[in-house]
């Protein structure tokens, strides 16, 4: 179906089976550009299925996986996808339990994905060493206008890394 451009399934417990079905659609779909799966219980396996589909789908521009426990392994799968998929402009991963290692994987992948405009990583128990990796990515992603790191534990060191990155990337308007 090329007429459906936006799919909202927030709050529906679709779990891994639903994520797997959506991933299959993403591999073939040429119309869907925005996908919102906030709080759908997809877990790390569902995130991995979506990520695998993103390696083939360059049409999707917005993805929200917030409030799903995708963990660091789900984040690492998304990072792998971001290395080849440069079409994504909006990525929201609020409260996804990715931790510092997942955030670092995403950040390293973003060095190759310069078209991202919004990155939401709030409330993920991200520490200062991951904030350093995120700061390096922020310096490279010149199109980034929104970065959300609220509710993490980046501390003063992480804040300094982010502040320094903002001296290089002056396009960020919302932090």
């Amino acid at each position: 179906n090329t007429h459906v451009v936006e799919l909202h399934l927030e709050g529906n417990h679709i779990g891994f089976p639903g994520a797997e079905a959506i991933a299959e659609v993403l591999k073939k779909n040429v119309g869907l550009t925005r996908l919102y799966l906030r709080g759908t219980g997809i877990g790390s396996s569902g995130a991995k299925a979506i990520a695998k589909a993103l390696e083939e789908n360059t049409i999707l521009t917005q993805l929200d996986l917030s409030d799903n426990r995708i963990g660091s392994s789900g984040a690492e799968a998304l990072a792998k996808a971001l290395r080849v998929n440069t079409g994504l402009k909006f990525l929201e991963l609020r409260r996804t339990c990715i931790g510092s290692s997942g955030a670092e994987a995403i950040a390293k992948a973003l060095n190759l994905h310069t078209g991202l405009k919004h990155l939401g990583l709030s409330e993920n128990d991200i520490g200062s060493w991951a904030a350093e990796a995120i700061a390096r990515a922020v310096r490279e992603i010149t199109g980034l206008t929104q970065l959300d790191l609220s509710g993490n534990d980046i501390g003063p060191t992480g804040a300094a890394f982010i502040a320094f990155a903002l001296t290089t990337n002056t396009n960020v308007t919302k932090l």
Side-chain angles (χ1 to χ4, degrees), residues 29-103:
N29 187 287
V30 295
L32 189 65
T33 59
R34 296 177 297 277
L35 178 59
Y36 302 96
L37 297 177
R38 179 183 298 249
T40 53
I42 64 169
S44 62
S45 297
K48 289 175 187 176
I50 297 291
K52 187 71 175 159
L54 287 177
E55 291 178 23
E56 299 175 33
N57 178 311
T58 58
I59 303 300
L60 197 71
T61 59
Q62 295 185 18
L63 178 62
D64 184 350
L65 297 180
S66 297
D67 298 317
N68 285 292
R69 299 179 66 84
I70 70 169
S72 60
S73 63
E76 288 164 12
L78 285 169
K80 183 179 178 217
L82 289 171
R83 287 187 189 97
V84 295
N85 178 321
T86 57
L88 206 60
K89 306 292 181 215
F90 176 99
L91 180 60
E92 184 61 55
L93 297 174
R94 178 184 178 121
R95 285 191 302 255
T96 52
C97 304
I98 64 172
S100 288
S101 60

Side-chain angles (χ1 to χ4, degrees), residues 1-167:
N1 184 340
T2 59
H3 300 293
V4 177
V5 295
E6 193 165 320
L7 181 59
H8 289 266
L9 293 176
E10 298 101 319
N12 288 287
H13 189 77
I14 64 170
F16 170 67
E20 192 173 40
I22 289 169
E24 287 305 311
V25 169
L26 284 175
K27 290 178 185 177
K28 301 170 191 161
N29 187 287
V30 295
L32 189 65
T33 59
R34 296 177 297 277
L35 178 59
Y36 302 96
L37 297 177
R38 179 183 298 249
T40 53
I42 64 169
S44 62
S45 297
K48 289 175 187 176
I50 297 291
K52 187 71 175 159
L54 287 177
E55 291 178 23
E56 299 175 33
N57 178 311
T58 58
I59 303 300
L60 197 71
T61 59
Q62 295 185 18
L63 178 62
D64 184 350
L65 297 180
S66 297
D67 298 317
N68 285 292
R69 299 179 66 84
I70 70 169
S72 60
S73 63
E76 288 164 12
L78 285 169
K80 183 179 178 217
L82 289 171
R83 287 187 189 97
V84 295
N85 178 321
T86 57
L88 206 60
K89 306 292 181 215
F90 176 99
L91 180 60
E92 184 61 55
L93 297 174
R94 178 184 178 121
R95 285 191 302 255
T96 52
C97 304
I98 64 172
S100 288
S101 60
E104 183 179 30
I106 295 282
K108 286 181 177 178
L110 292 177
N111 288 325
L112 302 171
H113 185 60
T114 57
L116 197 70
K117 296 191 179 305
H118 171 93
L119 178 60
L121 297 174
S122 65
E123 300 179 52
N124 273 302
D125 199 27
I126 296 170
S128 61
W129 60 272
E132 182 180 8
I134 293 165
R136 280 193 303 271
V138 167
R139 288 193 304 264
E140 300 297 320
I141 310 170
T142 56
L144 189 71
T145 59
Q146 296 180 18
L147 174 65
D148 188 355
L149 291 172
S150 61
N152 285 296
D153 192 23
I154 66 169
T157 304
F161 288 131
I162 298 298
F164 178 73
L166 294 175
T167 64

